[in-house]
Amino acid sequence: MAALASEAVKSTARNSRVRKAAITLTDAAADRVRALLSPRPEQYVRLGVKKRGCNGLSYVMSYADEKGKFDEEVDHKGAKILIEPGVLMHIIGTEMDYYTDRLRSEFVFNNPNSKGECGCGESFTT
C-alpha cells in the first residue's frame, strides 16, 4: 500500500511541471495592462484574433470578468491576460509590448508565427 501511495506522489510530481507561457509581456506592456485594469471592475484583458484586414487576421483586445473554461491565462507582474483557446495556434510564442511616442501609443505584437503583415501593420497572416 505504501509503495502505491509513493508511486502516486511521483506521478503527480512529474505532471506538475511549470509550463512556458503562451505569450510573453514586456514590462511596459504589463504596466499598461495593470493601468487599464486598475479603475475597472474586470480582472482580465482578453486577447483574441479575428478574421479581418488586408492579410486576414487582426488582434483584438477586450475586458473580461472571469476566465473561461479553456482560456489560457498569462500573469506577468500582476497583469492578467486571457487568451481565447481557438487562437493559440496563431499567437503562441508572441511577445506583447507597449510602445508610445509623441504621435501614438499602442500595443505591439512581435509574432514569430507571422508570415506577412499589411503595410499599416494592422493585420497579419500565419
Side-chain angles (χ1 to χ4, degrees):
M1 185 69 169
L4 185 61
S6 67
E7 188 61 35
V9 171
K10 288 179 186 176
S11 175
T12 304
R14 275 184 262 147
N15 294 338
S16 65
R17 61 188 165 155
V18 177
R19 288 186 356 195
K20 185 176 178 183
I23 65 168
T24 58
L25 278 76
T26 63
D27 290 342
D31 291 343
R32 184 61 181 154
V33 169
R34 280 194 312 273
L36 289 170
L37 289 173
S38 65
R40 302 186 63 90
E42 292 88 1
Q43 299 179 26
Y44 303 99
V45 170
R46 183 179 304 279
L47 175 62
V49 173
K50 298 290 182 202
K51 292 183 180 183
R52 66 177 178 208
C54 309
N55 271 348
L57 300 172
S58 183
Y59 299 103
V60 292
M61 296 176 72
S62 61
Y63 295 104
D65 292 325
E66 59 188 40
K67 181 180 176 185
K69 184 175 181 179
F70 298 108
D71 286 343
E72 183 79 21
E73 182 178 348
V74 176
D75 188 341
H76 179 74
K77 296 185 177 180
K80 296 181 179 181
I81 305 287
L82 295 178
I83 302 170
E84 296 173 355
V87 303
L88 277 173
M89 65 183 173
H90 297 295
I91 64 172
I92 194 117
T94 298
E95 178 191 60
M96 182 176 166
D97 195 6
Y98 184 73
Y99 179 79
T100 185
D101 65 17
R102 291 177 34 176
L103 297 176
R104 63 189 172 150
S105 57
E106 63 185 349
F107 286 102
V108 177
F109 298 91
N110 300 311
N111 188 340
N113 305 310
S114 177
K115 303 293 183 219
E117 296 180 350
C118 66
C120 64
E122 292 293 320
S123 64
F124 68 99
T125 186
T126 56

